[in-house]
Amino acid sequence: MSNDLRDKYVRALQTTEGDDPLSRLARASLQAAATKFSGLGLLEVAAGPGFKFRLSDPANGGLIAAHEVGDFLQRVQKAVARLAKARRVRRADVVRLQPSDLEIARFDVAASMAGSIIVDLKPHVPTATAEEDQDDLAPAGVSWAEIGAVELVRALPEGPDDEASMDSLFSASPVMRRAVADLISDLPNPNLDISLAVQRGTGERISSVLSSGQAATLRERLGVIREEREIIRLQGRLDGLRTRRQIFYFEPPTGSEIHGFVDDSLVSVVKEHLDQEVEVALESFVLGSAAGKRSQRRYRLIEVAGQQSQLPPSSELDEDE
């Protein structure tokens, strides 16, 4: 298959990312065409996991400079590699990244057009390092780049009115807040609107939209520090889960409902125990700003029915790696 045909097919898929009936019909037609003409190698493009980001500057008619796209691609790569490393080594925070961390979760650019980049997330053999061990092995058929990209996109808001996701980010693990800071801190152009979308190998599609105004709010709020941190255990009912946004809802025996952030590594076990009585462990804390303002108490789910998050809270107390 020629690169030109592959690029045209990728661009056609790129225009059908919505969840409306017409977009779903268009995707189905493109995938049917890929199957019919399998000899052209289009089926792998249609089914394979991929990560797309689109940038727009409303103040400049939507147009953006080439160096802004390049800068943002590096930011996304760094954020994804940071989240992937946290899952690999099971730490709640990752301060330093080595070249090998970027290689293990590397991005391969598949196509680009007018402010958009599509990245290939297929698994590939990581570069051998002196510190190579079993922690470098992702689940079968899934790349570390896909794992990190899914974590990032799930945590970001679905749109300009998604206040729940904005609020939930402050209950997330330190590495998640650090990854979001990788994405939006000191942007060369702070007026960019950012759209991110992940196509998983399973076929699931996840998307997020972060406006320039939301990014400015996050930059201001991510400067807070955690205070009065403790681990609490409760018996109660798991009342709900916003899977795409990683928000859990828990009903204790007494008092009001508790909600907060749940890491992707615990989502499946939460689903299994929805609407059931279960013992959970929560990281509880308040946020304090440099100006002395303090938030309401916040929570992160770290254990459900004996299964612990892959980002354990004890790691947050460790010194830099």
Side-chain angles (χ1 to χ4, degrees), residues 223-290:
V224 300
I225 59 174
R226 294 189 168 194
E227 302 174 348
E228 297 182 14
R229 294 169 49 198
E230 61 178 333
I231 305 301
I232 58 175
R233 292 187 173 274
L234 295 171
Q235 187 82 23
R237 187 172 69 91
L238 277 170
D239 191 36
L241 173 70
R242 282 189 66 189
T243 308
R244 290 171 68 93
R245 298 298 109 185
Q246 295 182 242
I247 302 172
F248 76 93
Y249 299 88
F250 179 77
E251 194 175 88
T254 59
S256 58
E257 182 181 70
I258 293 172
H259 69 276
F261 192 88
V262 53
D263 296 311
D264 196 52
S265 61
L266 280 183
V267 166
S268 60
V269 70
V270 171
K271 286 182 180 178
E272 292 172 7
H273 291 84
L274 278 177
D275 204 29
Q276 297 179 20
E277 290 286 324
V278 66
E279 181 178 332
V280 302
L282 305 171
E283 182 195 15
S284 167
F285 55 91
V286 296
L287 300 174
S289 69

Side-chain angles (χ1 to χ4, degrees), residues 29 125 128 135 144 151 162 176 179 185 187 236:
S29 298
V125 179
D135 284 340
W144 283 116
E151 290 265 17
D162 188 3
M176 177 59 74
S185 293
L187 283 169

Side-chain angles (χ1 to χ4, degrees), residues 70-84:
D71 170 79
F72 197 78
L73 178 59
Q74 292 180 328
R75 289 170 177 272
V76 176
Q77 170 72 93
K78 185 176 181 181
V80 166
R82 193 183 299 280
L83 291 169

Side-chain angles (χ1 to χ4, degrees), residues 170-191:
F170 303 110
S171 304
S173 61
V175 72
M176 177 59 74
R177 298 196 306 279
R178 201 181 291 274
V180 173
D182 286 336
L183 207 64
I184 62 175
S185 293
D186 299 320
L187 283 169
N189 181 355
N191 299 316

